Amino acid sequence: MKIIVTGGAGFIGSNFIFYLRKKYPDYRIVCIDKLTYAGNLHTLKGILNSENFRFVKADICDRKAVDPLFAEERPDIVVNFAAESHVDRSIENPEIFLQTNIIGTAVLMDACREYGIKRFHQVSTDEVYGDLPLDRPDLFFTERTPPHTSSPYSSSKASADLLALAYHRTYQLPVTISRCSNNYGPYQFPEKLIPLMIVNALNDKPLPVYGEGINVRDWLYVEDHCKAIDMIIHNGKDGEVYNVGGHNEMRNMDIVKLICKELGKPESLIEHVTDRKGHDMRYAIDPAKIHAELGWLPDTKFENGIKTTINWYINNKNWWESILNGAYRNY
């Protein structure tokens, strides 16, 4: 089996590559990554020269780079993690998100049509559904929840999802889509909530929390997400969407306080900042479909996953310190 993983030098993509190599050592994995600010080749340093692994620096929007690679490798499966994903950055500069997340997805699917694949898997987000009210804990996102986006980021991901489903219907491209809740775990770029708070707390810096910090997210440990994608690409049904949620709803403020407690840092480090524009209040996924059809359930409870994550950042300071000082860009 030969799998192309796009965005494989990023957070979830790199974890997925490590997961595949451990479970399927005979698979050939080709990683495509543009190495933008969030792509860190240092993350993959241990496998760059390994058998059955190839790294290619390329932009998924560049047909002149993508097409020859597909012609050479002839992949069986393509898993598309490559995306601009930070909401705040999408508010500042929407165009980059539209280019990478929509056009890039189209370029990949055109190559899949040209050279034939068994599966194109689009990694999406629960943010395409918008948000849920805080006073309705009985409500959850299902695969039938209509898209109702709040940011340029989520709009670009919803657009890519719709395009993928259109390619399935129009061209019979074997497409699957997963929409996951907020991931956390090793190798996450320290602009996201959990790694940002861990790194800042370790350095005794302020912990910036949007508004009152009452926004609720459903947290999914990254390895559980990797297991879900593994099940989908091997056994999922063409043209289907699968929600992947952690059943771990937490308020942002409670997570920050938990990190302070685990690190022995004072809550006085917490600093309330101006709320994000169009800030979604609550995300909550119902993963009943993927459980019923593929047997997936998350294995990691948040109280265990967050401790594992904190310990990883404590024990891997060289990784995130190279990001803070910019040295990772020179790897």
Side-chain angles (χ1 to χ4, degrees):
M1 185 74 74
K2 189 177 294 185
I3 299 182
I4 284 182
V5 178
T6 70
F11 166 43
I12 308 177
S14 62
N15 276 279
F16 185 66
I17 288 174
F18 298 145
Y19 175 88
L20 287 179
R21 284 181 57 79
K22 183 178 180 179
K23 186 172 181 181
Y24 307 104
D26 294 334
Y27 280 19
R28 175 168 172 79
I29 302 169
V30 180
C31 171
I32 304 175
D33 202 294
K34 187 181 178 181
L35 296 180
T36 60
Y37 78 94
N40 189 347
L41 196 56
H42 188 74
T43 301
L44 300 173
K45 69 175 183 177
I47 63 171
L48 284 177
N49 297 315
S50 300
E51 187 179 1
N52 286 335
F53 180 78
R54 177 186 179 188
F55 176 81
V56 178
K57 183 179 179 181
D59 184 349
I60 62 169
C61 299
D62 183 0
R63 294 182 188 273
K64 293 182 180 179
V66 171
D67 287 357
L69 179 63
F70 273 65
E72 178 184 356
E73 292 288 351
R74 301 282 176 164
D76 299 293
I77 296 173
V78 176
V79 183
N80 182 29
F81 291 98
E84 296 285 347
S85 65
H86 193 49
V87 174
D88 291 340
R89 291 178 184 268
S90 80
I91 294 172
E92 293 297 324
N93 189 354
E95 185 174 351
I96 296 175
F97 287 72
L98 305 183
Q99 185 71 23
T100 299
N101 298 354
I102 303 174
I103 301 302
T105 302
V107 169
L108 290 172
M109 291 193 295
D110 285 341
C112 289
R113 290 175 54 214
E114 178 70 22
Y115 298 103
I117 57 158
K118 297 177 181 178
R119 169 86 67 213
F120 174 82
H121 183 72
Q122 173 71 4
V123 180
S124 189
T125 170
D126 59 356
E127 295 190 42
V128 303
Y129 297 124
D131 64 350
L132 297 167
L134 294 176
D135 60 354
R136 289 294 306 276
D138 57 311
L139 295 179
F140 297 88
F141 298 137
T142 73
E143 290 80 1
R144 295 189 178 186
T145 302
H148 188 71
T149 59
S150 304
S151 69
Y153 162 62
S154 58
S155 297
S156 68
K157 293 297 288 185
S159 299
D161 290 0
L162 293 173
L163 191 62
L165 293 174
Y167 268 60
H168 170 66
R169 177 165 179 169
T170 303
Y171 304 114
Q172 291 75 55
L173 189 70
V175 165
T176 48
I177 297 170
S178 58
R179 292 171 177 161
C180 68
S181 55
N182 284 42
N183 280 216
Y184 69 102
Y187 299 110
Q188 188 169 25
F189 196 82
E191 67 180 357
K192 304 288 188 173
L193 178 69
I194 287 179
L196 175 64
M197 297 303 153
I198 295 172
V199 168
N200 278 18
L202 287 171
N203 289 324
D204 296 309
K205 291 184 176 180
L207 308 179
V209 175
Y210 281 128
E212 299 177 41
I214 60 175
N215 308 73
V216 172
R217 299 294 182 262
D218 175 17
W219 293 94
L220 176 68
Y221 191 62
V222 65
E223 186 174 348
D224 288 334
H225 186 194
C226 293
K227 292 177 182 177
I229 295 174
D230 175 27
M231 290 181 175
I232 294 169
I233 63 175
H234 287 96
N235 299 302
K237 296 180 181 178
D238 292 350
E240 292 293 317
V241 175
Y242 295 92
N243 282 352
V244 185
H247 279 310
N248 282 308
E249 289 186 56
M250 295 280 292
R251 297 194 317 168
N252 289 350
M253 179 60 76
D254 293 334
I255 288 179
V256 178
K257 289 181 177 179
L258 177 60
I259 291 171
C260 288
K261 181 179 178 181
E262 289 292 327
L263 292 175
K265 300 294 183 177
E267 293 183 6
S268 58
L269 288 174
I270 297 173
E271 181 180 275
H272 292 271
V273 298
T274 303
D275 207 354
R276 169 190 288 163
K277 296 177 181 178
H279 203 173
D280 290 335
M281 294 308 297
R282 172 176 172 254
Y283 301 149
I285 275 185
D286 179 1
K289 177 178 177 179
I290 190 172
H291 174 58
E293 293 189 9
L294 303 178
W296 179 88
L297 280 176
D299 295 324
T300 310
K301 294 183 178 180
F302 186 79
E303 55 264 32
N304 298 326
I306 191 65
K307 290 180 181 179
T308 300
T309 300
I310 290 172
N311 287 332
W312 187 89
Y313 280 90
I314 291 173
N315 295 324
N316 290 272
K317 285 187 177 182
N318 288 341
W319 183 84
W320 54 262
E321 284 179 343
S322 71
I323 291 175
L324 298 184
N325 64 31
Y328 80 106
R329 302 300 295 271
N330 300 321
Y331 184 79

